[in-house]
Amino acid sequence: MEPFSPEAPQSSTASSSGSPAVSNDSPRTATSTSTVGISATTDGRAQPAPPPSVPAACLACRGKHLKCDGLTPCTRCSSSNTECVYIASRRGYKGPRKTATAQNPHKRHASSSPPYAGPADSCPMLLGHTPVSIATPSVTGFNPAIVLPEQSPVSYANTPALSNVSVYRNPFAPAIDGNAMALATITAPPTQPPVATLAERCFDAFYHYFHGGHPFVLPKEYFLRQLKEGASPNLNVLVAAMRYIGSLYLDCGPSRATYLDEAIRLCYLPSTAKDGFLIQALLLIIVGLDGSCEQEKARELLADCERLAIEIDLNKREFATMHGHGNPVLEESWRRTWWDLYVCDGMVAGVHRVTNFLLFDISADVGLPCEEHQYLTGRIPPPSYMEDFDDQLFSGEDGEFSSFTYRISAARNLGRFMRMPNMMFPDNEGIARVEALLTNWRMHLPESKRDDLNKSCQLDEMMFQAHFITHACTIMLHQPLSQLDSSPVQAVNSCAPHRPVQAGESFNAHTRHTITAACEISKMVTQAVPLLSHTHFFTCVVTLSSIVHLSKWALYFIEDEEDLRQQIRLNIGALNKLSKVWKAANTAWGQVKGVAQEIYREKKAHQITPAFWVGFTQEQMISSINADEGIMSEFNMLAQVTQAQ
């Protein structure tokens, strides 16, 4: 038995034509000849008429499995004061009836949709279900064969395909999530993202690897916004330079040379405007060429870039305001462009010792850069100036400046050292003055700037560069007056020409300064960050440190020889890692490794002589030989790995 069948079996009969029977109060009773209210028996006696046939029982009677008289409301519902509701029967449906119901306006044809009596939660067929609203534009792909139980037909009044869909459901059927059905019907299958082109990958590689070491170009989000708005035609020139830099970190094949040629061509087109974006493009190309052993070409472009920067007044305080268009991030980018050009000019002059740090003598009142996180997030504070930095100790406003500012200060100390005349004697007053500058720079650093980590324990690349510039300046200041014989390392000249240093009988103060700075540089290699995230100028600083270590290792007897070997291992490993991108690092790695092997062979030849081991215990002899063999096996293994690649 079906308790919720639309029509009770015992109360229905079928006519000869197959149409469902109707009740006595139907208009069809007057015209129908196939159904009568009284029948005759064989004995001629009149029999009482059978109970009237009811086409559909109300919900209340159906739920109690009781007969319903079909009235509206029915007798049982009237007596019990219960709401009387009918639903249409679909059993034996042959199509709509030809005559509309007139006597009972509350009844309806079986083919019509149920009347909407208000909100969905008031409908007996939707009890316990929360109505779900679906926006009309999102159902363009809706399947009309699927009935959503939570929806009323009124919700789809604008959708012709749903005008005749009923909302009936089996109350005993498992609940169906209408949201899931709608999403399954209208959600398009996921599509694969388009594959990035080589040019796009190079652009992304620029920001991923390079931008942190020279952060003067706009942050990526702001740059793309400027590019979309077409802020300057020279943005396309800058994009070409950024693409070339990014190609250095990827396997681009011949495209790398194509990107370089295109960037230089765009920079020197007669139609290219002379503005800050052109300065940025030239500076990127200069750094890339210098790290790729194209130093002569890099110096030519550097001279043009410096001349152009002074011509457009990039060194003036007003430039950022005039060309920033009210955008604080763009104004900060212009300030950083001048100061990064200043720092790069100093590093090129310091490590290669060919140029003379031209911008050191140029008057500039440009505002100082802010912290990196402020630049990247667009929260730019009002800028400070160099006079504020110089007078902080005496003005009583002893505050903390940005890491970029301490990087500028370190480069400025390097310039002051380069302006000193040749110092031939250890007691020269100029040496004391420069050493006072370097010592004061270290002593007055805030606590948060004394190492290369920021407050979040992440590498602070600006302070990292500031520290290695100071260490390199210390070596250049004291090494000529030290007592480390430099003749064994004269072949290491990839960054700078060899400078002869005479050996002495004992270590003096200059030697200690030199060795300490070289060890500090080697310690910087141990930072838990990828070496390729550093500027390529770190290559020449590591090479300078290696020259000091190898000069010391060439001595016959060293008390801390094992520690010295570890320093040499660190430096050679760092150069090998940097050589994956920078050709200059690959050249330096080959030279340093070659000199180390030569020193090892020289030391091994001396070890054959018995006089060499005078004063050594047997344990010291075995330890020294094993250590030398170990370091040389590592050198050979690195060489084999590089050749295999």
Side-chain angles (χ1 to χ4, degrees), residues 251-272:
D251 185 10
C252 296
S255 298
R256 182 178 302 161
T258 303
Y259 289 152
L260 173 60
D261 293 341
E262 178 68 8
I264 295 177
R265 184 187 68 82
L266 292 175
C267 286
Y268 284 93
L269 279 177
S271 59
T272 301

Side-chain angles (χ1 to χ4, degrees), residues 7-279:
E7 185 178 359
Q10 67 272 16
S11 62
S12 63
T13 60
S15 66
S16 60
S17 62
S19 300
V22 296
S23 61
N24 293 341
D25 57 355
S26 171
R28 289 181 60 89
T29 307
T31 60
S32 176
T33 60
S34 61
T35 305
V36 294
I38 302 175
S39 61
T41 62
T42 55
D43 58 359
R45 294 181 300 169
Q47 297 294 331
S53 176
V54 180
C58 70
L59 292 179
C61 293
R62 186 181 299 178
K64 299 177 182 178
H65 304 287
L66 299 175
K67 290 184 179 180
C68 181
D69 56 12
L71 298 179
T72 306
C74 69
T75 305
R76 295 185 188 277
C77 291
S78 297
S79 61
S80 62
N81 196 21
T82 303
E83 183 180 5
C84 187
V85 179
Y86 291 88
I87 62 172
S89 172
R90 305 296 289 178
R91 179 176 297 176
Y93 177 66
K94 300 296 183 177
R97 294 181 183 272
K98 297 180 180 179
T99 305
T101 303
Q103 294 183 358
N104 192 348
H106 295 285
K107 291 188 177 182
R108 56 183 172 81
H109 294 299
S111 62
S112 63
S113 298
Y116 179 72
D121 55 1
S122 66
C123 178
M125 298 304 295
L126 303 179
L127 293 177
H129 295 274
T130 303
V132 179
S133 176
I134 300 180
T136 301
S138 64
V139 296
T140 55
F142 188 80
N143 185 354
I146 298 178
V147 179
L148 298 182
E150 292 83 354
Q151 288 296 328
S152 165
V154 179
S155 301
Y156 298 99
N158 297 329
T159 308
L162 304 178
S163 59
N164 294 324
V165 178
S166 301
V167 293
Y168 301 119
R169 60 183 290 272
N170 184 354
F172 294 110
I176 302 176
D177 187 354
N179 284 331
M181 293 180 64
L183 291 176
T185 305
I186 65 178
T187 302
T191 58
Q192 293 293 334
V195 178
T197 63
L198 178 60
E200 293 171 339
R201 291 169 53 216
C202 291
F203 181 84
D204 292 338
F206 166 83
Y207 276 102
H208 183 76
Y209 293 105
F210 184 87
H211 186 260
H214 296 275
F216 57 89
V217 176
L218 283 169
K220 189 174 183 180
E221 175 186 353
Y222 296 93
F223 183 84
L224 292 175
R225 189 180 306 166
Q226 292 280 316
L227 189 64
K228 182 179 181 180
E229 296 172 355
S232 170
N234 279 2
L235 283 173
N236 293 325
V237 182
L238 180 55
V239 168
M242 296 162 68
R243 189 182 299 127
Y244 159 64
I245 292 295
S247 69
L248 297 172
Y249 296 88
L250 303 177
D251 185 10
C252 296
S255 298
R256 182 178 302 161
T258 303
Y259 289 152
L260 173 60
D261 293 341
E262 178 68 8
I264 295 177
R265 184 187 68 82
L266 292 175
C267 286
Y268 284 93
L269 279 177
S271 59
T272 301
K274 297 179 180 179
D275 62 3
F277 293 116
L278 177 58
I279 299 294

